[in-house]
Amino acid sequence: MIRKISLYYSYLLILGSVGMTVWGLAGFTEYLFGITVIIPLQNPNFPAGTQFIHWLLITLSGTVFLYGYFTRWPYTPNVKLVIYACLSTMCFIQTFDFMTREDRYISYALEVTNYIVVSIYLFKSKLMQERFNRT
């Protein structure tokens, strides 16, 4: 039963990684070429350099997991942890320096909580340890 839940959670991570990759590429397309793919994604409050790093980290987050999962790359959990640390730092700067939404602090807390939960899963789940040959 636990293995089945873990497998479904891994599928959710794949789906989320596809979403992150698409979102990151759409953000880059808008950032670099001014072409809005679906909806406007740039935050006018963010400096250009911050926007670039934002889209780079989001794209890397998705593509690293997809690459790692499907190739069984053993460094996937480690690299994801580094990317999550970078994303958390970038989001901290965005939240506390540039964002104006009322719910920004709650959003930041939820985002960091998600990074922690996924990281624990990648390092501690038996299924992920087997997947990335870390047993």
Side-chain angles (χ1 to χ4, degrees):
M1 178 64 166
I2 290 177
R3 189 166 180 84
K4 189 177 263 190
I5 291 170
S6 183
L7 184 62
Y8 290 144
Y9 188 67
S10 73
Y11 295 156
L12 186 64
L13 292 180
I14 293 168
L15 184 62
S17 294
V18 169
M20 290 287 279
T21 302
V22 170
W23 181 35
L25 292 174
F28 257 133
T29 301
E30 186 177 322
Y31 174 81
L32 295 171
F33 306 109
I35 300 168
T36 301
V37 177
I38 300 170
I39 60 170
L41 296 173
Q42 304 308 305
N43 187 326
N45 295 328
F46 296 176
T50 303
Q51 290 277 43
F52 179 82
I53 295 169
H54 175 85
W55 297 122
L56 177 65
L57 291 172
I58 289 170
T59 305
L60 279 175
S61 181
T63 55
V64 161
F65 184 76
L66 293 172
Y67 171 80
Y69 187 87
F70 291 112
T71 65
R72 297 178 177 262
W73 187 42
Y75 299 106
T76 302
N78 300 76
V79 175
K80 283 294 285 185
L81 184 64
V82 170
I83 292 171
Y84 284 157
C86 293
L87 276 167
S88 295
T89 302
M90 175 58 65
C91 291
F92 180 88
I93 293 166
Q94 291 169 339
T95 300
F96 288 90
D97 288 345
F98 305 117
M99 292 179 87
T100 56
R101 288 189 354 240
E102 269 187 49
D103 68 340
R104 65 188 178 270
Y105 303 116
I106 293 170
S107 295
Y108 177 71
L110 290 172
E111 188 170 336
V112 171
T113 301
N114 178 58
Y115 297 154
I116 292 167
V117 168
V118 173
S119 295
I120 291 170
Y121 174 73
L122 291 177
F123 280 99
K124 296 296 183 180
S125 162
K126 181 119 174 94
L127 184 69
M128 291 297 102
Q129 289 176 354
E130 291 169 5
R131 179 101 202 156
F132 299 121
N133 301 313
R134 297 175 65 92
T135 53

